[in-house]
Amino acid sequence: MKGNDELINTTSSKDRQAIIKSFKKVKLDLLVIGGGITGAGISLDATKRGLRTGVIEMQDFAAGTSSRSTKLVHGGLRYLKQFEIGIVSEVGKERAIVYENGPHVTSPEWMMLPFYKGGTFGPFSTNIGLRVYDYLADVKKEERRIMLKPQEALEKEPLLQSNNLMGAGYYVEYKTDDARLTLEIMKKSIELGTKALNYIKMIEFLYNEEDKIKGVIVEDQISKEIFHIEAKYVINATGPWVDKLRDLDNSKYGKTLQLTKGVHLVFSQETFPLRQAIYFDTPDKRMIFAIPRVNKVYIGTSDTKYEGEITHPQVTIEDRDYILHAINDMFPSLSLTPKDIESSWAGIRPLISQEGKKPSEISRKDEIFTSNSGLISMAGGKLTGYRKMAEQAVDKVTAIFKSEQNILFEKSTTKYLSLSGGDVGGSIGFVDFKIEKVNTGMALGIANSDAIYLVNQYGSNVDIIYKLYSENEAKAKEEGINPLVLATLLYSIEYELAYTPLDYFIRRTSAMFFDIHFVKENKETVINFMSKLLNWTDEQRIQYRNELVTVYEESTLKNIE
Ligand code: FAD
């Protein structure tokens, strides 16, 4: 509610100072450090149960691992290979919930798993494996696995390596936009009352006389102002940074994190005309995904131990060549070279260390550590399991409330809670919703393909985009900016807390990965517009422009040519 310091729950970057003021004033029940999917999910669960909750994020929301994944909400077929039955069963069921709560941001995708003479999987193990998967993950009848003969597999995807092909399994995964999924969770959480702000870094913990955490000292990464936030309990949901915060709390004992890096490459459909999503064996017996996405294809991932700088992981020549080699092995007619790569990204997995295991063998299971000071740290896990992870973390906090203060909170109720943009009548309702809203968009003069994109991207928030579009057509002309770009940019600033051009080009639109030409075409007008609207200083303008140019060069791999 704007104007009320205590309850301010705005998502406009124009209100940064008001949000900061309200953070300073209020004593929170729970402060969550980290605005990736784990922190966003925890805040939603906690606020929904009635805890006065805050989230701080030192970069942009989802700027860590949560914008750098394979972007699948999946049941984790690979975990079956490692006999992690519990994970397969739980995340398999969770993916259906994630889908229903936001069908605009997650959608089913039929995936093909080809098998070859001498490969990891054969017809028998694939059939059994997928059948067990269907059972454990409680897969809907119409989405249960089908077994394909070699010819059928090649009909679905003619680019497949045909030598020694014995057939394929055909089953359903769900694809998403990880950063937008995180944002839709965060926005819903703020709508329900969470106080949240990006570019606020936790630099020190505050302790009471009994050495229990009572808050944190933070630094606004934009103004450099330092201030205190008070909270009864603090959750460390900083993904790959979890151990850094445990170090600050002198509580990095017992299990620690093992970071591993995974990279993805993006190609245009013109050079890599893949029709069908494929999950395939690499020459070194790992499994990677090749996934068509609008008119692009992305492929990944690698999995290597990582000890470098966490904020800014990069694709190396070795990473690039590893993926190119795997592509050319599975799709031999392509002969792709580094020049064919349009974009790329690298991400860091926050895994819990396991002695003697290779990176790809380490469990993806999540864990919670509680320190003597009361710091609750959550690490490991998957995008897919974010809601359950959140439930477990908040259960822990409510149990402490009960034992220490005899205050009771209800159980988690996020199972049937639509995310922001998800008020479309579930997956079934979304079909008619889409038709109606695409027509609304076209009546405003928006092209059919653009209207489809907008409805898929913003779900039930598309009406706000349409309003911004209609109200600002003249202004767009004046500013020399495409009216649809202006509408989505305004939305990202005023409804999604975007503050820098990278927030818009990566986390709000994913153009940096899937539409690099859009970035090239619109970067100067976007910088100009944001600079004016957000009153950047000259230094800020130079800094944000430089950051954009650097990330552009890195994404296109121009920096390692
Ligand atoms: P993050 O997203 O990294 O969030 C932590 C946040 O904490 C960061 O934004 C960081 O800036 C912030 N932070 C750190 N320190 C501070 C501080 N001092 N003050 C304030 N903020 C701070 N999972 C799936 O389900 N499906 C997949 O397809 C999939 N593919 C993957 C592929 C790769 C290559 C990788 C690396 C991971 C993949 N995962 C996948 C796993 C999934 O992406 C992660 O488990 C998840 O994104 C972790 O989210 P998080 O919120 O814990 O961490």
Side-chain angles (χ1 to χ4, degrees):
M1 241 192 292
K2 293 187 191 184
N4 179 335
D5 275 346
E6 274 235 331
L7 294 173
I8 189 153
N9 60 346
T10 159
T11 44
S12 172
S13 276
K14 293 199 284 193
D15 293 331
R16 274 190 76 81
Q17 284 316 314
I19 303 172
I20 288 172
K21 201 169 151 204
S22 87
F23 259 121
K24 289 181 192 165
K25 248 185 152 174
V26 149
K27 178 165 182 176
L28 298 165
D29 290 328
L30 178 65
L31 175 69
V32 182
I33 307 172
I37 196 152
T38 308
I42 292 171
S43 75
L44 177 60
D45 191 295
T47 295
K48 183 74 182 40
R49 293 198 214 188
L51 280 89
R52 188 181 290 229
T53 307
V55 179
I56 49 168
E57 164 54 56
M58 71 174 178
Q59 310 179 75
D60 182 23
F61 299 111
T65 306
S66 298
S67 54
R68 299 153 180 274
S69 77
T70 308
K71 307 180 193 298
L72 289 174
V73 172
H74 58 147
L77 187 60
R78 65 187 287 275
Y79 310 123
L80 204 55
K81 210 171 139 191
Q82 291 157 238
F83 297 103
E84 299 209 55
I85 305 291
I87 295 197
V88 180
S89 171
E90 182 168 301
V91 290
K93 287 171 189 147
E94 273 304 301
R95 67 180 190 165
I97 299 170
V98 177
Y99 175 42
E100 285 304 322
N101 290 342
H104 64 301
V105 74
T106 302
S107 56
E109 176 87 17
W110 280 93
M111 185 74 67
M112 190 152 86
L113 177 70
F115 42 83
Y116 291 85
K117 210 182 260 172
T120 319
F121 293 104
F124 182 71
S125 56
T126 306
N127 196 355
I128 296 288
L130 288 174
R131 184 179 294 203
V132 173
Y133 180 71
D134 280 347
Y135 170 75
L136 287 175
D138 213 0
V139 174
K140 291 180 203 164
K141 215 172 186 177
E142 63 277 16
E143 293 186 355
R144 292 198 187 139
R145 60 95 186 75
I146 301 166
M147 298 303 290
L148 303 175
K149 300 210 163 61
Q151 199 45 43
E152 291 172 319
L154 285 169
E155 269 161 28
K156 288 208 183 293
E157 186 43 73
L159 291 176
L160 268 192
Q161 166 71 271
S162 57
N163 285 347
N164 297 323
L165 178 65
M166 295 173 72
Y170 200 49
Y171 70 106
V172 171
E173 292 281 23
Y174 285 69
K175 68 178 176 190
T176 189
D177 176 332
D178 46 8
R180 286 215 62 84
L181 177 63
T182 305
L183 281 166
E184 299 299 35
I185 300 166
M186 199 68 255
K187 280 154 64 189
K188 184 68 186 188
S189 178
I190 296 173
E191 184 191 316
L192 295 182
T194 299
K195 212 178 282 302
L197 196 53
N198 47 5
Y199 298 105
I200 299 290
K201 181 176 184 178
M202 193 298 294
I203 49 176
E204 224 179 296
F205 289 107
L206 292 166
Y207 299 91
N208 65 17
E209 17 342 301
E210 284 147 15
D211 288 333
K212 298 284 179 201
I213 290 183
K214 61 166 192 173
V216 295
I217 304 179
V218 299
E219 182 182 57
D220 179 354
Q221 299 300 283
I222 290 163
S223 69
K224 298 295 166 200
E225 186 196 1
I226 291 182
F227 58 96
H228 291 197
I229 299 176
E230 282 188 66
K232 290 183 191 150
Y233 302 105
V234 175
I235 293 190
N236 167 13
T238 56
W241 291 263
V242 154
D243 277 353
K244 287 200 183 296
L245 267 69
R246 290 168 83 205
D247 241 348
L248 281 179
D249 178 49
N250 287 321
S251 61
K252 202 177 114 189
Y253 38 73
K255 289 187 184 174
T256 54
L257 291 194
Q258 165 70 67
L259 305 183
T260 78
K261 181 174 73 167
V263 312
H264 291 82
L265 303 182
V266 184
F267 300 86
S268 152
Q269 278 276 351
E270 281 161 27
T271 45
F272 191 166
L274 189 79
R275 292 189 203 157
Q276 166 63 55
I278 311 277
Y279 186 32
F280 64 98
D281 264 341
T282 55
D284 63 336
K285 302 278 177 240
R286 289 187 53 256
M287 302 281 305
I288 66 177
F289 292 96
I291 304 172
R293 192 170 188 115
V294 194
N295 47 8
K296 309 288 167 191
V297 173
Y298 69 104
I299 297 233
T301 168
S302 53
D303 200 351
T304 47
K305 281 198 175 161
Y306 188 73
E307 275 158 9
E309 199 266 323
I310 307 174
T311 313
H312 198 161
Q314 293 191 46
V315 179
T316 61
I317 292 182
E318 292 73 33
D319 299 327
R320 177 197 74 187
D321 292 349
Y322 173 82
I323 303 280
L324 278 174
H325 183 52
I327 298 171
N328 290 328
D329 191 63
M330 180 51 64
F331 309 102
S333 60
L334 292 174
S335 306
L336 295 180
T337 71
K339 288 205 167 44
D340 296 314
I341 298 166
E342 274 202 1
S343 187
S344 67
W345 67 89
I348 305 297
R349 296 180 188 84
L351 308 179
I352 318 279
S353 184
Q354 284 182 298
E355 261 324 281
K357 294 221 171 180
K358 285 197 222 154
S360 56
E361 292 167 356
I362 300 173
S363 169
R364 269 52 178 167
K365 211 175 145 3
D366 55 278
E367 285 201 36
I368 298 177
F369 316 113
T370 308
S371 77
N372 293 336
S373 65
L375 179 67
I376 298 169
S377 299
M378 178 148 231
K382 308 276 302 161
L383 291 173
T384 318
Y386 86 84
R387 199 193 63 85
K388 270 277 162 197
M389 285 169 67
E391 183 178 332
Q392 283 157 18
V394 180
D395 278 349
K396 191 127 211 153
V397 177
T398 55
I400 302 172
F401 262 104
K402 188 173 168 218
S403 70
E404 290 183 356
Q405 305 185 38
N406 205 21
I407 300 175
L408 293 180
F409 288 97
E410 58 179 297
K411 293 212 173 309
S412 174
T413 53
T414 54
K415 189 168 176 183
Y416 301 107
L417 182 66
S418 299
L419 305 181
S420 182
D423 292 318
V424 296
S427 59
I428 294 173
F430 192 43
V431 178
D432 286 342
F433 177 91
K434 221 191 264 190
I435 297 169
E436 184 199 325
K437 294 297 173 184
V438 167
N439 286 336
T440 313
M442 286 168 67
L444 293 172
I446 297 171
N448 178 265
S449 56
D450 289 333
I452 293 173
Y453 163 80
L454 292 174
V455 179
N456 282 332
Q457 182 88 342
Y458 298 99
S460 51
N461 290 321
V462 74
D463 286 332
I464 307 175
I465 299 280
Y466 287 161
K467 187 164 176 277
L468 291 170
Y469 174 84
S470 313
E471 285 174 359
N472 292 287
E473 264 189 294
K475 188 174 189 163
K477 228 180 224 157
E478 225 172 80
E479 300 275 341
I481 187 166
N482 176 312
L484 274 183
V485 174
L486 183 59
T488 57
L489 181 59
L490 276 170
Y491 183 79
S492 74
I493 297 169
E494 292 179 1
Y495 295 83
E496 298 190 321
L497 282 163
Y499 193 80
T500 76
L502 279 176
D503 299 346
Y504 177 70
F505 285 119
I506 301 185
R507 271 81 57 181
R508 307 302 180 285
T509 59
S510 71
M512 187 65 82
F513 303 146
F514 298 114
D515 196 354
I516 198 81
H517 302 299
F518 177 92
V519 182
K520 201 170 177 183
E521 267 167 37
N522 293 290
K523 69 180 196 315
E524 298 304 334
T525 42
V526 165
I527 291 171
N528 285 341
F529 188 81
M530 289 186 95
S531 170
K532 271 194 268 173
L533 190 70
L534 294 166
N535 292 319
W536 293 343
T537 59
D538 288 346
E539 291 77 39
Q540 278 180 302
R541 192 188 157 91
I542 293 167
Q543 181 195 335
Y544 300 149
R545 194 177 185 285
N546 286 346
E547 282 171 4
L548 178 64
V549 171
T550 305
V551 172
Y552 180 89
E553 298 276 307
E554 287 169 0
S555 303
T556 53
L557 299 186
K558 297 250 183 307
N559 60 325
I560 58 167
E561 259 174 9

